[in-house]
Amino acid sequence: MRFAFTTEQLELRDAVRDLLRRECAPEAVRAAWTNDTGRAPKAWAALAEMGALAVMAPEATGGFGLTEVDAILIAEAAGYAALPEPIVDTMLIAAPWGLVQHAQSAVVVVPESPCTAWADSADVVLTLAADGVRTVPASDCSLVAHTSVDGARRLFDVSIPAGCEPQRPVADAAVAFRRGVLGTAAQLVGLAERMLTMTVDYAKEREQFGVKIGTFQAVKHHLANARTKLEFARPLVYRAAATMAAGDRSAGLHASMAKAQAGDAARIAARAALQCHGAIGYTTEYDLHLFMKRTWALDASWGDPAWHRRFVGAQIL
Amino acid sequence: MDLDFSSAEQAFRTEVRDWLATNVPNPPLPSGDTRDGFAAHLEWERRLFDARYAVVSWPTELGGRDASLWEWLIFEEEYWLAGAPQRVTQNGIFLLAPTIFEFGTPDQQTRILPKMASGEEAWCQGWSEPNAGSDLAGIRSRARRDDAGGGWRLTGQKTWTTRGAFCTHLFGLFRTDPDAPRHNGMTYLLVDLRQPGITVRPVERLDGDDGFAEVFFDDAFVPDDMVLGEVNKGWQVAMATTGSERGLTLRSPGRFLATAQRLIDLHRDRVTSSASDGPVDDELRDRIVQAWIDAEAYRWQTFWTVTKLLDGGQAGAESSMVKVFWSELDVRLHELALELLGPHAELVDGDFAQWIKGYQFALSGPIYAGTNEIQRNVIAERVLGLPRR
């Protein structure tokens, strides 16, 4: 038993974090709310350039042939930055199957979510269904636009052309689903950490009644609770990644446990963050809302916590 | 990442499981927090010791097996899953012993530890006083120098002392320099309770057992070789012990994994029974699953921490998050069971008594070892870095 990342894995994570600190600062996320695509093209191109999107792509096609364990650290860093890109769909699902190259992107349509983000600007659309996985050029799909609480997430109800047969078997649909669940859980962990960090920084600076608000026990306890939730979510995400990489038959169960736990942790972090910020956090001029809204969106995507607990319950109860 | 136990570790698990399957008392022992039950539990401790399962992580020459942290966690998982008895020696072997390993002289280690492991001597913790609970540095019990006797004379009172009425020894903090600042001038003393000058009064706990005691000191004697660490440095020594108590040495994941499994079993019985209690609603089901996930989360958070420790890292203030998490999880697991039991929840006799009994014990978790409010302050200040004042 050795439940830790390798130095190389952590170095890759740090490199991605550094890149996103530069290329996906809150201004870039804010810009995605109003630009044409809802995305952050500079950050995406830089990630492709450094090879981060190809960590799980086969070595034969220029990828690194690494596993979910490496990919979730990148997904977590993407969550920390609220990167407005379909990174989970692309990096964890399409790239390992060689369906995207370089800076191409993919989105995955899952039955558990009524809409798919960024389907209009992706290169490839995958659909997961009871009879397998279909891969369709995005230009062949018909899209009906919806609006997300997260202004960067351009949502679409996606219909693929009639008569399109699955290219990959049912088992692959299960693989894709649990990878998407896992990657989303990792993003939620990153988001929770970011909101906590922002709020701790704020509570150390903001003064009321002549003292820093971070000295108040009520504020401390909100943040201690949120930090504790995060402490007991992260290991389930890492464990699910490791069992998935090892081909463990229970990996789907582990992914659901991780998603339920990470979703709860991120939602509670968002709530504590807003409450401790007070009114400034309630404005859209302040950055917190970018992270809160991404949290709400991802918490509800790829199966919300209640969905995943039902899935777990069906196996353990 | 490698999430598999080695074949040696798996073999150890099998060995422990097999031994427990043939040795765990059935029917279960009476509560170890009563006089008769305590005696029965000491017999059980002796059996564990003879099979070298009492203190698996200790050195072989002191009665242990030199087990690794992984093996210790495996032992704990199997122990609680088998429904084995509560450990009435726990305050000695899990709280005091790590401190003796760290601060004790070689002589103290060989003199005290084997008898502790076998249950020949049973240790209780003498921290709280009537005016010093969460604020441990507020203790007033005195130890005065007795040069002629070569030791210390104790006066004062300890309270809420778990199993104090049944134990032979007490470890605790006593003020040796009353003029020193609050956190100084205390000394960590190991007290034999079987002497004149000690009066112990049992105190009935919430659950009705005499599990608490008040201990009065009236010129009781402690020889110099029963001082743990340096004189007037007791606070630093004691902090090492409270670290153990909050963290994994007192409450390993095995306990909560076992309770979560019993909750799952109870749910199954409830669903399959023909009783007219009606179906379990989805909302309760959802919370049961979440509690089970939390028990698993505790297991993996522990594995994460143990890997960090083996890599040379420190547990640190993170142990306060662990304490908040397990203590609240334990309450929740029992509350869910009581909800499932419905009108049967109040019965302290019969098959379900373990739950209401366990619930009352679980309620002490957020209070002892530093209340959860104190822990949240520690998390905020030492993990998150928020200002003290």
Side-chain angles (χ1 to χ4, degrees):
Chain A
M1 174 79 65
R2 195 191 131 73
F3 189 31
F5 293 100
T6 64
T7 309
E8 293 76 23
Q9 286 165 338
L10 294 175
E11 283 170 0
L12 173 62
R13 177 201 62 186
D14 292 345
V16 172
R17 276 192 181 178
D18 286 346
L19 181 151
L20 291 174
R21 197 174 298 127
R22 292 191 307 273
E23 306 293 349
C24 190
E27 303 81 70
V29 182
R30 200 173 277 283
W33 277 57
T34 51
N35 68 16
D36 289 345
T37 59
R39 296 174 57 172
K42 256 187 86 186
W44 189 250
L47 285 169
E49 180 64 26
M50 86 177 286
L53 303 178
V55 279
M56 286 179 70
E59 289 178 86
T61 61
F64 295 91
L66 298 173
T67 71
E68 287 88 345
V69 177
D70 305 271
I72 51 156
L73 286 174
I74 297 171
E76 189 179 320
Y80 189 87
L83 175 73
E85 289 286 344
I87 187 166
V88 167
D89 312 41
T90 303
M91 172 179 68
L92 275 142
I93 300 170
W97 288 337
L99 302 175
V100 286
Q101 306 293 330
H102 309 301
Q104 286 185 321
S105 59
V107 295
V108 180
V109 180
V110 291
E112 283 71 21
S113 300
C115 295
T116 306
W118 301 300
D120 62 331
S121 56
D123 298 290
V124 180
V125 171
L126 283 80
T127 65
L128 311 183
D131 60 350
V133 181
R134 290 170 175 76
T135 307
V136 189
S139 50
D140 293 355
C141 297
S142 59
L143 307 176
V144 178
H146 287 270
T147 309
S148 170
V149 66
D150 176 350
R153 282 169 60 86
R154 306 298 158 80
L155 293 183
F156 298 91
D157 186 349
V158 180
S159 304
I160 58 170
C164 181
E165 290 299 313
Q167 286 94 350
R168 305 184 76 94
V170 180
D172 280 354
V175 168
F177 183 67
R178 70 176 75 114
R179 283 179 175 167
V181 168
L182 174 73
T184 307
Q187 285 186 293
L188 285 161
V189 161
L191 282 157
E193 187 187 343
R194 179 62 172 268
M195 291 184 287
L196 266 170
T197 302
M198 286 178 76
T199 311
V200 167
D201 289 346
Y202 183 75
K204 284 181 184 169
E205 294 303 320
R206 169 75 172 168
E207 290 191 5
Q208 289 287 273
F209 305 102
V211 294
K212 311 287 186 200
I213 63 167
T215 61
F216 296 129
Q217 204 168 40
V219 171
K220 285 179 178 174
H221 287 196
H222 277 312
L223 295 174
N225 286 339
R227 178 66 182 79
T228 303
K229 272 279 176 190
L230 176 59
E231 178 74 10
F232 289 89
R234 206 171 230 145
L236 285 186
V237 176
Y238 298 164
R239 179 264 201 130
T243 56
M244 219 176 278
D248 190 319
R249 285 190 313 158
S250 299
L253 173 70
H254 301 162
S256 281
M257 292 162 70
K259 177 68 165 59
Q261 201 79 343
D264 284 354
R267 228 175 39 254
I268 284 165
R271 187 81 179 79
L274 176 59
Q275 189 65 23
C276 294
H277 271 87
I280 183 86
Y282 201 76
T283 68
T284 56
E285 291 176 355
Y286 192 78
D287 290 335
L288 180 63
H289 84 108
L290 301 170
F291 301 93
M292 287 202 297
K293 288 169 181 170
R294 182 65 52 78
T295 296
W296 300 337
L298 294 185
D299 185 42
S301 301
W302 293 90
D304 64 17
W307 189 94
H308 286 288
R309 283 193 287 268
R310 278 196 300 279
F311 182 81
V312 172
Q315 295 175 68
I316 66 158
L317 288 181
Chain B
M1 266 180 207
D2 169 17
L3 303 193
D4 293 323
F5 287 112
S6 70
S7 53
E9 286 159 349
Q10 284 168 9
F12 176 68
R13 186 188 288 280
T14 306
E15 185 195 328
V16 172
R17 185 175 294 181
D18 291 348
W19 187 86
L20 289 166
T22 52
N23 285 278
V24 168
N26 191 17
L29 303 179
S31 165
D33 297 316
T34 60
R35 186 163 293 281
D36 292 348
F38 187 79
H41 276 77
L42 283 186
E43 283 175 37
W44 164 251
E45 288 294 331
R46 182 74 211 189
R47 267 164 82 190
L48 280 176
F49 181 73
D50 290 342
R52 290 199 304 122
Y53 285 125
V55 285
V56 292
S57 58
W58 290 15
T60 314
E61 61 272 22
L62 297 173
R65 291 177 178 241
D66 282 308
S68 67
L69 270 174
W70 296 124
E71 287 168 326
W72 181 73
L73 289 168
I74 287 169
F75 174 80
E76 285 277 308
E77 288 185 2
E78 293 302 321
Y79 188 88
W80 298 110
L81 205 56
Q86 69 180 118
R87 302 295 302 274
V88 295
T89 53
Q90 66 172 28
N91 286 355
I93 61 180
F94 293 143
L95 303 184
L96 174 58
T99 318
I100 291 183
F101 280 117
E102 192 173 341
F103 294 93
T105 63
D107 168 64
Q108 285 175 326
Q109 293 178 3
T110 52
R111 199 154 35 86
I112 297 168
L113 293 172
K115 286 179 181 172
M116 179 194 294
S118 68
E120 186 182 337
E121 293 176 350
W123 290 82
C124 58
Q125 177 174 267
W127 277 175
S128 295
E129 297 183 3
N131 290 307
S134 289
D135 185 11
L136 180 57
I139 63 153
R140 294 179 191 170
S141 288
R142 283 290 313 270
R144 289 185 176 79
R145 189 64 206 156
D146 177 356
D147 279 325
W152 299 84
R153 291 281 169 186
L154 310 183
T155 51
Q157 181 191 350
K158 297 290 180 183
T159 192
W160 327 133
T161 308
T162 295
R163 289 183 286 278
F166 320 129
C167 285
T168 57
H169 289 73
L170 173 144
F171 59 97
L173 282 180
F174 294 83
R175 211 161 268 292
T176 36
D177 179 1
D179 299 325
R182 256 163 68 84
H183 291 84
N184 298 329
M186 285 176 272
T187 302
Y188 197 122
L189 299 178
L190 307 174
V191 188
D192 192 332
L193 295 174
R194 303 162 299 183
Q195 60 167 309
I198 300 277
T199 309
V200 178
R201 186 180 79 84
V203 175
E204 188 174 297
R205 287 189 322 202
L206 182 66
D207 62 2
D209 291 345
D210 282 340
F212 273 161
E214 289 180 311
V215 183
F216 299 91
F217 305 89
D218 183 13
D219 236 17
F221 182 68
V222 176
D224 283 333
D225 64 4
M226 293 294 261
V227 174
L228 189 56
E230 283 179 53
V231 171
N232 291 335
K233 296 284 186 213
W235 182 260
Q236 290 76 358
V237 179
M239 285 304 102
T241 310
T242 56
S244 307
E245 191 175 0
R246 283 170 206 156
L248 60 104
T249 60
L250 182 63
R251 295 286 180 254
S252 72
R255 285 174 180 257
F256 309 106
L257 291 166
T259 308
Q261 188 53 54
R262 288 194 294 122
L263 178 66
I264 300 290
D265 294 344
L266 181 68
H267 174 268
R268 187 172 302 126
D269 292 348
R270 163 81 192 273
V271 168
T272 56
S273 77
S274 55
S276 56
D277 296 334
V280 177
D281 68 53
D282 287 347
E283 190 267 342
L284 178 55
R285 220 177 117 93
D286 179 83
R287 287 187 289 131
I288 290 171
V289 171
Q290 183 54 49
W292 181 85
I293 293 174
D294 281 335
E296 286 283 316
Y298 184 29
R299 184 177 195 239
W300 288 94
Q301 194 274 351
T302 301
F303 290 172
W304 185 258
T305 304
V306 166
T307 303
K308 194 169 89 175
L309 293 175
L310 294 174
D311 283 351
Q314 300 268 319
E318 279 80 2
S319 67
S320 288
M321 291 192 279
V322 174
K323 198 264 162 166
V324 167
F325 191 80
W326 64 247
S327 59
E328 296 190 344
L329 170 61
D330 201 25
V331 172
R332 209 154 56 240
L333 287 165
H334 285 88
E335 281 174 345
L336 288 163
L338 296 179
E339 277 191 61
L340 276 173
L341 288 171
H344 304 288
E346 74 165 305
L347 292 172
V348 291
D349 60 5
D351 294 343
F352 302 129
Q354 52 169 323
W355 289 110
I356 186 68
K357 185 96 180 153
Y359 176 56
Q360 291 174 86
F361 180 69
L363 287 175
S364 67
I367 299 172
Y368 67 75
T371 63
N372 285 9
E373 286 68 32
I374 296 286
Q375 306 302 340
R376 287 186 170 92
N377 290 351
V378 174
I379 297 164
E381 289 161 17
R382 292 175 51 201
V383 177
L384 294 174
L386 288 169
R388 251 182 88 76
R389 51 174 56 92

